[in-house]
């Protein structure tokens, strides 16, 4: 019998040349003489031009540290970053701050959760966008202004000519996030990393900003890493998803495959914990028991074991490997959902709880 995997683009990801290839990324925080805290532990993923990948996981799972390490934004003291982030044939982790500055802004850009802490409060929005244009393109003052206003307009800012001269505090939260996106896109980045860009926004503005990002990514062919703990965002936007737990990727799959057949018990729990609008009001919710603090070091066992109702002694083994369970679908779990031997029903029930059936991006 041939198994088909809905949503799997068989031509990707393996056949396309990755724009960024992250290999065995490890980030350790600590002071000399003390055992360090490994916040990111062997993360590997690829992203191709025009692709959107999701980095999903609970608070503290290492999503932001992963992106900050790739962008060279972690402090240099007290942090050890190891592994590779190969971009255009160069390991970003080996570049000097000067070389990194050149790449950041001209080819790589990042949008953070809180626009107020990313935009300069004492510089007008227009100047912040034109500064980026000046830094990377030889434009006259008038041309830079015209291009900045056009960018603000394309990012959905009404009356961009007036907003150009305003300060961040004069804009609403949603407007500020759009201004920040405009600043990030001013250099036409090849890779955009968005770290929870809509978490601070109300849901209608959130939807508009996500739509804007999807449009810009497809029109400019930008590759995008979307960091979020919101599976609804993933369902609407991402091509592929990496689920992180306690610093490691525990499941990697194309988006449709992940929602239809979640295999890792943590992913299954995440999907099961989403309340259904069409469900019975008396139906109990199914939260994942415990908190992310209830963990074991990966060097001893599966870090999710203290919270997993499928855990057995077999899960208490060091350094569980990611293994491939379907095309492009890798899982770090001894008893994955849907496996004949696990006797689990989780895959089907979890799929029934996905936020919305994933739609194709145009
Ligand atoms: N500068 C730092 N020094 C020490 N530990 C840090 C530092 N920055 C982050 N950490 C720790 O690294 C771990 C991963 O943090 P990270 O910010 O990547 O989590 P996250 O997945 O982005 O969570 P959230 O969804 O809350 O943003 C956490 O335990 C955090 O406390
Ligand atoms: S390896 Fe074991 S403890 Fe970890 S998620 Fe899978 S079943 Fe649960
Ligand atoms: Mg974060």
């Amino acid at each position: 019998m041939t198994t088909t995997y809905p949503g799997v683009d068989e031509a990707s990801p393996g056949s396309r040349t990755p724009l960024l290839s992250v290999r065995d990324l490890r980030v350790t925080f600590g002071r000399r003489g003390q055992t360090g805290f490994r916040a990111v532990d062997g993360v590997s993923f690829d992203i191709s031009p025009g692709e959107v990948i999701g980095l999903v996981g609970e608070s503290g799972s290492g999503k932001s540290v992963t992106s900050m390490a790739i962008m060279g934004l972690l402090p240099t003291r007290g942090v050890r970053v190891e592994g590779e982030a190969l971009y255009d044939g160069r390991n970003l982790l080996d570049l000097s701050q000067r070389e990194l500055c050149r790449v950041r802004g001209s080819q790589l850009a990042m949008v953070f959760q809180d626009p107020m802490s990313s935009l300069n409060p004492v510089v007008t929005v227009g100047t912040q966008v034109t500064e980026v244009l000046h830094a990377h393109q030889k434009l006259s003052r008038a041309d830079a202004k015209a291009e900045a206003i056009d960018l603000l307009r394309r990012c959905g800012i009404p009356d961009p000519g007036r907003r150009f001269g305003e300060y961040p505090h004069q804009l609403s939260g949603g407007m500020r996030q759009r201004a920040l996106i405009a600043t990030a896109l001013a250099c036409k980045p090849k890779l955009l990393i968005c770290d929870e860009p809509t978490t601070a926004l109300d849901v209608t503005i959130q939807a508009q900003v996500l739509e804007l990002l999807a449009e810009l990514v497809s029109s400019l062919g930008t590759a995008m890493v979307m960091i979020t703990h919101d599976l609804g965002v993933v369902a609407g936007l991402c091509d592929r998803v990496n689920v992180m737990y306690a610093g490691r990727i525990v499941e990697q799959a194309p988006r449709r495959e992940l929602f239809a057949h979640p295999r890792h018990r943590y992913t299954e729990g995440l999907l099961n914990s989403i309340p259904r609008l069409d469900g019975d009001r008396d139906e109990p919710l199914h939260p994942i028991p415990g908190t992310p603090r209830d963990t074991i070091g990966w060097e001893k066992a599966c870090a999710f074991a203290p919270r997993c109702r499928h855990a057995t002694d077999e899960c208490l083994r060091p350094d569980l490997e990611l293994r491939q369970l379907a095309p492009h679908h890798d899982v770090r779990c001894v008893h994955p959902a849907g496996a004949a031997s696990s006797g689990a029903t989780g895959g089907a029930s979890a799929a029934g709880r996905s936020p919305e059936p994933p739609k194709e991006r145009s």
Side-chain angles (χ1 to χ4, degrees):
M1 191 178 76
T2 313
T3 311
T4 55
Y5 298 95
V8 177
D9 175 1
E10 298 296 347
S12 77
S15 59
R16 283 191 274 171
T17 309
L19 178 71
L20 175 76
S21 214
V22 178
R23 288 284 163 269
D24 197 21
L25 181 68
R26 281 160 285 139
V27 180
T28 313
F29 293 104
R31 295 209 183 106
R32 209 174 287 170
Q34 292 181 0
T35 311
F37 167 64
R38 181 66 60 84
V40 175
D41 195 5
V43 163
S44 300
F45 62 86
D46 290 339
I47 180 162
S48 302
E51 192 178 31
V52 182
I53 68 156
L55 216 51
V56 189
E58 278 170 324
S59 189
S61 55
K63 308 179 297 289
S64 296
V65 172
T66 298
S67 61
M68 305 275 272
I70 294 168
M71 296 292 277
L73 294 173
L74 288 171
T76 45
R77 291 186 69 171
V79 188
R80 197 167 70 243
V81 180
E82 297 160 287
E84 285 183 335
L86 292 172
Y87 175 82
D88 201 16
R90 291 191 294 175
N91 184 5
L92 295 177
L93 309 185
D94 286 343
L95 299 188
S96 65
Q97 276 304 321
R98 200 191 166 104
E99 290 170 313
L100 260 177
C101 273
R102 214 173 298 139
V103 183
R104 263 192 324 243
S106 69
Q107 296 174 52
L108 315 178
M110 192 153 173
V111 175
F112 295 92
Q113 175 180 342
D114 177 10
M116 257 333 236
S117 62
S118 307
L119 292 169
N120 188 335
V122 295
V123 177
T124 62
V125 168
T127 304
Q128 299 194 48
V129 180
T130 45
E131 267 177 1
V132 182
L133 292 170
H134 278 308
H136 301 287
Q137 299 177 43
K138 288 197 175 85
L139 292 177
S140 69
R141 216 179 153 85
D143 286 348
K145 180 172 180 180
E147 185 152 343
I149 290 175
D150 184 51
L151 198 53
L152 293 173
R153 183 188 52 73
R154 280 197 287 144
C155 286
I157 294 189
D159 199 359
R162 178 164 67 90
R163 298 297 185 184
F164 181 91
E166 292 187 342
Y167 292 89
H169 74 269
Q170 293 175 282
L171 274 59
S172 67
M175 216 62 82
R176 279 197 289 267
Q177 193 59 289
R178 285 159 192 264
L180 186 60
I181 292 170
T183 313
L185 292 175
C187 63
K188 298 191 175 66
K190 291 184 178 162
L191 175 70
L192 180 65
I193 300 183
C194 296
D195 191 350
E196 308 265 10
T198 57
T199 308
L201 306 176
D202 68 58
V203 281
T204 48
I205 305 293
Q206 189 178 68
Q208 289 170 14
V209 170
L210 290 173
E211 207 175 295
L212 166 73
L213 281 169
E215 259 174 47
L216 294 169
V217 161
S218 69
S219 63
L220 297 173
T222 307
M224 183 161 80
V225 179
M226 173 59 70
I227 295 175
T228 181
H229 56 262
D230 185 340
L231 287 168
V233 170
V234 174
L237 202 64
C238 299
D239 299 308
R240 285 189 295 133
V241 191
N242 294 298
V243 182
M244 286 189 74
Y245 192 82
R248 290 194 181 183
I249 289 177
V250 294
E251 184 156 12
Q252 287 182 315
R255 170 196 50 161
R256 277 174 172 272
E257 164 75 355
L258 187 99
F259 281 100
H261 306 288
R263 306 300 299 273
H264 195 277
R265 296 300 181 177
Y266 170 62
T267 318
E268 180 191 49
L270 278 182
L271 289 170
N272 269 333
S273 61
I274 299 169
R276 288 188 64 136
L277 283 176
D278 60 348
D280 189 339
R281 279 179 57 174
D282 299 327
E283 197 185 321
L285 296 174
H286 302 277
I288 299 174
T291 72
R293 285 171 182 269
D294 304 324
T295 189
I296 308 181
W298 284 108
E299 70 287 353
K300 295 195 190 113
C302 168
F304 187 59
R307 305 173 68 189
C308 179
R309 65 190 171 90
H310 300 273
T312 64
D313 285 349
E314 286 178 83
C315 307
L316 306 179
R317 67 167 87 146
D319 295 314
L320 274 174
E321 296 286 335
L322 271 175
R323 50 192 180 112
Q324 190 178 53
L325 297 185
H328 314 306
H329 192 163
D330 297 340
V331 182
R332 196 187 296 275
C333 181
V334 177
H335 307 295
S341 60
S342 72
T345 55
S349 65
R353 292 186 161 272
S354 64
E356 281 295 329
K359 298 186 190 88
E360 286 306 320
R361 288 193 302 123
S362 53

